[in-house]
């Protein structure tokens, strides 16, 4: 029987895939206008399909499993290109296609005039296809295809300016670091198949009762390694700040809507496995809490507008991991959604600032922009208030829920890490806002003369994201822990066993979270608005700490010293060994063979052939002399016969005597 919802599910990844094929193969034959319309139009159609699917799931509560293609089958292994759409999938699809659509539209204005315009949109659409496969797949094989696809696309997009050395290095770094995480993920898939003889989610989760605690821990930790790499958590976070080398829309897509949330999705999707292992759960929480605090401290002093936002992404992803580790899966998903709203808004607003300043990204060379680009300023401020966790904006509700869940379940260490991280987040984000938009201008005269507001094709998506950043959290998560999103995700992400929170405790926690954010704002206001000299004095007084933070704890240098340089030296040694020893042996054998061949040729030429020539010459001479015996005279022949008989008799006599 025909099912419209199943058809819509199949079409969701098809539309951007068709745009990839069209722009990739035929893009050079038509104008940029056609190329960008195909790009954002295809994502828009996918979003409409998602709306239709979401409406059906919301109405019926049904889970859809749709087989698009019978792929691999043989023995115990059967893998189909199939999709699983449940409430969790719907949430990610809404974020990926909805926010992705706005980023694509914004890119039309931001990338205008770029030589690789069509190539850019081809990569962006391919990124969307990969992310859609990742979240829609009903088995680990399809998940892994999407997983590797977003890794490939991140390499292409981060290295979009491939003629720039820093961009090429950043792309390679992202690719290599993600491969480390992917190795852990692939090992987890092998372990899952060995234990369950299937890779389908539903079949695996149905058999979890037969899994030993040790094996559950092994699988969960291997999955965590993959998630840590993809979602840029300690210790595999270093690739994400460097990803800023790509165009700003790429940063927004990677940081807000797609790639970095993949690790959170995988953990939530596999929470039934993680729940079997307290060790794995605690590890997830520790990784998340430490990352949230660690990245926030680095963000305090960064001077590149996009790099500050990059470290804020790493920190906010830490909150999501922390939530997963303490069993607050719905809160983690909630923060994924609100983070997509305000982080996309912040990155795209930062892109608008960079666009207005003709490519300048150093906040030390900005200031006084609030009056020159008022729409960008207002929208950036909304994003800042949202990420700082000030009510009623979106970030407050999700962040407060994570912190509240940790507190009421007596996980005070994680609550403390989250609270300190929240304070630092508020501080460095308002620092960024003050240095960028307030105070006297620090721009050079030429740049200041050409400052201009972005076109509506860029401002329009910012406005939509601004509305979501203001109202999205209230709509999704109010009242706290009992909002619409909690009811929607209950069948797939709700975990029993948490403590019920009283109204008084809830209000106290909300007030505390608000106070923490306001204190951070107040400190930033004092240091970067009321008394800028104090900030300079503190930087000079604590120069060691300041320099350490500015250099990101020298982690990149440490990794270079411990891993990169030794690997390079090993590679150089192996190259030398290959060229000198291995090739030397091979070349030596070849030389010996060559010498042997030359010797054989000489012997053949000067010994064998010479001997044969001598023999031949002797025979020739003997024949010539023999010919003289053929005189034709009878008496000569008679004499020869007599002589022969005499010699024969002599030989016989000698033999007889012996």
């Amino acid at each position: 029987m025909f099912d419209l919802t199943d058809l819509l599910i199949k079409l969701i990844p098809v539309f951007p895939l068709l745009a990839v094929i069209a722009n990739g193969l035929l893009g050079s034959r038509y104008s940029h206008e056609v190329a960008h319309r195909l790009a954002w139009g295809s994502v828009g159609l996918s979003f409409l399909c998602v709306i239709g699917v979401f409406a059906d799931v919301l109405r019926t509560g049904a889970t859809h499993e749709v087989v698009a293609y019978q792929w691999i089958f043989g023995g115990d292994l059967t893998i189909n290109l199939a999709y699983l759409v449940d409430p969790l999938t719907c949430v990610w699809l809404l974020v990926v296609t909805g926010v992705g659509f706005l980023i694509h539209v914004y890119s039309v204005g931001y990338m205008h005039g770029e030589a690789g315009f069509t190539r850019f949109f081809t990569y962006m659409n391919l990124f969307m296809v990969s992310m859609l496969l990742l979240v829609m797949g009903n088995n680990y094989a399809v998940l892994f295809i999407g997983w590797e696809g977003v890794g490939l696309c991140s390499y292409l997009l981060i290295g979009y300016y491939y003629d720039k050395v820093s961009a090429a290095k950043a792309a390679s770094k992202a690719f290599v670091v993600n491969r480390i995480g992917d190795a852990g993920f692939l090992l987890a898939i092998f372990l899952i198949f060995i234990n369950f003889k299937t890779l389908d989610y539903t079949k695996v989760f149905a058999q979890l009762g037969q899994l030993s605690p040790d094996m559950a821990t092994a699988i969960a930790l291997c999955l965590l390694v993959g998630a840590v790499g993809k979602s840029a958590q300690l210790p595999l976070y270093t690739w994400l700040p460097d990803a800023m080398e790509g165009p700003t829309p790429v940063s927004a897509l990677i940081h807000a809507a797609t790639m970095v949330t993949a690790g959170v999705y995988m953990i939530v999707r596999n929470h039934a496995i993680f729940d079997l292992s307290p060790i794995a759960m605690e590890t997830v929480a520790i990784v998340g809490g430490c990352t949230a605090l660690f990245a926030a401290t680095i963000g305090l002093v960064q001077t590149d507008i996009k790099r500050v936002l990059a470290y804020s992404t790493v920190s906010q992803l830490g909150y999501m991991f922390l939530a997963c580790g303490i069993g607050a899966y719905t809160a983690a998903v909630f923060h994924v959604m609100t983070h997509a709203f305000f982080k996309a808004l912040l990155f795209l607003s930062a892109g608008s600032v960079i666009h207005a300043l003709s490519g300048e990204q150093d906040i030390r060379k900005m200031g006084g922009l609030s009056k020159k680009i008022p729409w960008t300023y207002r929208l950036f401020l909304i994003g800042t208030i949202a990420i700082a966790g000030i009510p009623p904006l979106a970030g407050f509700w999700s962040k407060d829920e994570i912190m509240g869940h940790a507190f009421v379940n007596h996980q005070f260490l994680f609550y403390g890490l989250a609270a300190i991280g929240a304070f630092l987040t508020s501080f460095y984000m308002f620092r960024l806002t003050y240095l960028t938009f307030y105070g006297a201008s620090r721009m050079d005269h030429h740049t200041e003369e050409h400052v201009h507001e972005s076109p509506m094709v860029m401002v329009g998506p910012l406005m939509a994201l601004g509305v979501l950043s203001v109202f999205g959290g209230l709509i999704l998560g109010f009242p706290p822990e009992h909002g619409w999103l909690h009811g929607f995700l209950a069948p797939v992400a709700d975990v029993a066993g948490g403590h019920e929170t009283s109204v008084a405790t809830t209000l106290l926690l909300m007030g505390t979270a608000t106070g923490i954010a306001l204190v951070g704002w107040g400190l930033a206001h004092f240091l970067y608005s009321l008394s800028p000299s104090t900030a300079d004095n503190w930087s000079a007084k604590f120069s060691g700490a300041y320099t350490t933070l500015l250099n990101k704890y020298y982690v990149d240098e440490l990794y270079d010293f411990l891993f990169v340089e030794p690997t390079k030296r090993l590679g150089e040694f192996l190259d030398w060994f290959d060229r000198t020893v291995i090739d030397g042996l091979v070349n030596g054998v070849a030389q010996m063979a060559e010498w042997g061949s030359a010797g054989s040729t000489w012997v053949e030429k000067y010994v064998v052939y010479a001997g044969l020539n001598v023999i031949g010459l002797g025979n020739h001479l003997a024949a010539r002399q023999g010919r003289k015996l053929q005189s034709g005279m009878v008496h000569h022949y008679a004499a020869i016969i007599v002589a022969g008989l005499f010699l024969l008799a002599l030989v016989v006599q000698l033999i007889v005597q012996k």
Side-chain angles (χ1 to χ4, degrees):
M1 187 176 79
F2 176 75
D3 191 318
L4 178 60
T5 302
D6 289 354
L7 176 61
L8 293 176
I9 290 172
K10 292 180 181 179
L11 290 175
I12 291 172
V14 168
F15 288 121
L17 179 60
L18 292 175
V20 170
I21 296 171
N23 283 335
L25 298 179
L26 305 173
S28 60
R29 301 185 181 183
Y30 45 71
S31 66
H32 288 177
E33 189 79 11
V34 175
H36 77 69
R37 289 181 185 275
L38 282 172
W40 62 257
S42 64
V43 180
L45 289 172
S46 290
F47 179 62
L48 293 176
C49 292
V50 170
I51 294 294
V53 173
F54 168 69
D56 181 75
V57 174
L58 182 63
R59 177 177 58 85
T60 64
T63 295
H64 294 266
E65 289 199 64
V66 182
V67 178
Y69 178 71
Q70 290 184 337
W71 184 20
I72 300 172
F73 47 90
D76 293 331
L77 182 63
T78 300
I79 301 174
N80 294 321
L81 179 59
Y83 307 131
L84 171 67
V85 177
D86 58 10
L88 181 63
T89 309
C90 285
V91 168
W92 248 271
L93 288 177
L94 287 169
V95 171
V96 172
T97 57
V99 177
F101 170 73
L102 295 174
I103 294 172
H104 274 72
V105 173
Y106 175 94
S107 301
V108 175
Y110 189 89
M111 300 300 294
H112 179 73
E114 289 281 350
F117 188 86
T118 302
R119 173 169 59 90
F120 171 82
F121 279 104
T122 302
Y123 293 165
M124 291 281 280
N125 281 143
L126 185 60
F127 206 134
M128 295 295 295
V129 174
S130 300
M131 191 65 193
L132 291 171
L133 287 176
L134 191 157
V135 301
M136 292 176 66
N138 84 328
N139 59 73
Y140 292 96
V142 178
L143 170 64
F144 189 74
I145 292 172
W147 193 271
E148 292 301 303
V150 296
L152 169 64
C153 293
S154 69
Y155 172 80
L156 296 173
L157 287 168
I158 295 169
Y160 173 78
Y161 300 113
Y162 55 84
D163 54 344
K164 204 175 155 185
V165 175
S166 58
K169 287 184 176 179
S172 299
K173 186 176 183 179
F175 190 83
V176 171
V177 174
N178 272 275
R179 297 293 75 72
I180 297 172
D182 295 351
F185 183 28
L186 193 59
L187 181 58
I189 293 175
F190 290 153
L191 291 175
I192 288 170
F193 182 75
I194 290 171
N195 284 273
F196 301 106
K197 308 302 180 185
T198 181
L199 294 179
D200 290 356
Y201 297 146
T202 52
K203 296 178 181 179
V204 169
F205 300 152
Q207 302 177 61
L208 286 179
Q210 71 183 46
L211 198 64
S212 68
D214 290 341
M215 183 54 66
T217 299
I219 294 174
L221 291 178
C222 288
L223 289 172
L224 176 61
V225 172
V228 163
K230 197 66 73 182
S231 293
Q233 299 292 283
L234 287 170
L236 302 179
Y237 73 94
T238 55
W239 69 270
L240 190 58
D242 289 357
M244 299 303 98
E245 292 291 341
T248 300
V250 172
S251 303
L253 191 64
I254 291 176
H255 286 247
T258 55
M259 184 171 173
V260 295
T261 65
V264 183
Y265 170 80
M266 184 178 67
I267 292 176
V268 178
R269 174 62 72 189
N270 292 276
H271 74 82
I273 297 176
F274 282 86
D275 291 339
L276 296 175
S277 173
I279 295 174
M281 292 290 286
E282 189 170 355
T283 304
V284 173
I286 292 172
V287 168
C290 292
T291 303
L293 183 58
F294 179 83
T297 60
I298 298 176
L300 294 174
V301 300
Q302 298 303 305
T303 57
D304 185 297
I305 187 172
K306 288 175 64 177
R307 197 166 287 271
V308 175
L309 296 178
Y311 280 105
S312 87
T313 298
V314 176
S315 181
Q316 297 304 307
L317 287 165
Y319 278 95
M320 301 169 201
F321 271 65
L322 172 61
C324 290
I326 61 178
Y329 298 110
T330 301
V333 177
F334 187 15
H335 200 54
V336 166
M337 295 192 74
T338 60
H339 179 261
F341 302 153
F342 60 69
K343 184 52 58 72
L345 174 61
L346 287 167
F347 262 113
L348 297 184
S349 297
S352 187
V353 171
I354 296 168
H355 184 267
L357 273 59
S358 305
E360 182 60 66
Q361 296 183 196
D362 193 336
I363 58 177
R364 296 170 298 183
K365 300 178 181 179
M366 299 181 187
L369 290 174
S370 60
K371 296 180 180 178
K372 297 181 179 296
I373 45 176
W375 277 110
T376 299
Y377 156 67
R378 296 185 187 107
L379 291 162
F380 193 94
L381 182 60
I382 289 173
T384 299
I385 296 172
I387 193 174
I390 297 174
L393 275 72
F396 166 77
W397 303 100
S398 55
K399 193 180 295 185
D400 173 72
E401 185 170 326
I402 295 171
M403 295 170 61
H405 193 280
F407 185 87
V408 300
N409 287 280
H410 310 298
Q411 294 171 311
F412 301 117
L413 173 62
F414 297 131
Y415 177 82
L417 291 173
I420 298 171
F423 165 75
L424 297 177
T425 299
S426 178
F427 173 78
Y428 70 68
M429 285 305 305
F430 279 105
R431 166 185 177 267
L432 177 62
T433 302
Y434 281 116
L435 289 176
T436 303
F437 294 100
Y438 291 91
S441 172
R442 299 179 298 279
M443 296 175 283
D444 61 74
H445 181 69
H446 176 75
T447 302
E448 191 168 8
E449 280 188 338
H450 293 84
V451 175
H452 57 282
E453 186 63 91
S454 299
M456 187 52 63
V457 71
M458 295 171 64
V459 175
L462 294 181
M463 291 179 176
L465 290 167
V467 172
L468 291 171
S469 297
V470 173
F471 299 107
L474 192 63
I475 295 171
L476 295 171
F478 186 84
E481 300 190 13
H482 299 282
W484 173 85
L485 184 64
H486 299 77
F488 184 62
L489 290 177
V492 292
D494 190 32
V495 178
H499 294 78
E500 190 66 28
T501 311
S502 66
V503 175
T505 302
T506 299
L507 292 175
L508 176 62
L509 291 171
M510 291 173 66
T512 302
T514 303
I516 291 171
L518 291 175
V519 170
W521 185 355
L523 182 60
H525 180 70
F526 172 75
L527 291 177
Y528 298 100
S529 179
L530 299 180
S531 182
S533 60
T534 304
D536 295 333
N537 293 336
W538 284 10
S539 300
K541 184 177 181 179
F542 304 101
S543 59
Y546 179 83
T547 304
T548 300
L549 294 176
L550 190 62
N551 288 280
K552 296 103 53 187
Y553 293 101
Y554 299 98
V555 172
D556 284 297
E557 290 80 1
L558 180 64
Y559 284 1
D560 283 343
F561 177 76
L562 292 178
F563 304 112
V564 178
E565 291 304 320
T567 303
K568 286 183 178 178
R569 299 289 85 80
L570 177 62
E572 291 172 356
F573 169 75
L574 293 176
D575 178 65
W576 173 86
F577 187 82
D578 179 64
R579 288 184 290 103
T580 306
V581 179
I582 304 299
D583 288 355
L585 288 173
V586 174
N587 293 334
V589 172
Q591 187 66 54
M592 291 179 64
E594 185 177 345
W595 289 346
S597 177
S600 174
T601 302
W602 186 90
V603 170
E604 183 179 22
K605 183 177 181 181
Y606 294 104
V607 178
V608 178
Y609 286 174
L612 293 174
N613 289 334
V614 169
I615 294 172
L617 179 62
N619 289 336
H620 177 70
L621 294 175
R624 290 186 63 182
Q625 295 300 318
R627 287 179 61 188
K628 294 179 179 180
L629 298 177
Q630 303 292 326
S631 62
M633 297 180 180
V634 175
H635 62 279
H636 286 168
Y637 297 149
I640 292 172
I641 293 171
V642 172
L645 291 172
F646 176 78
L647 289 173
L648 179 61
L650 183 61
V651 171
V652 171
Q653 181 66 27
L654 291 172
I655 294 173
V656 171
Q657 289 179 353
K658 289 182 178 181

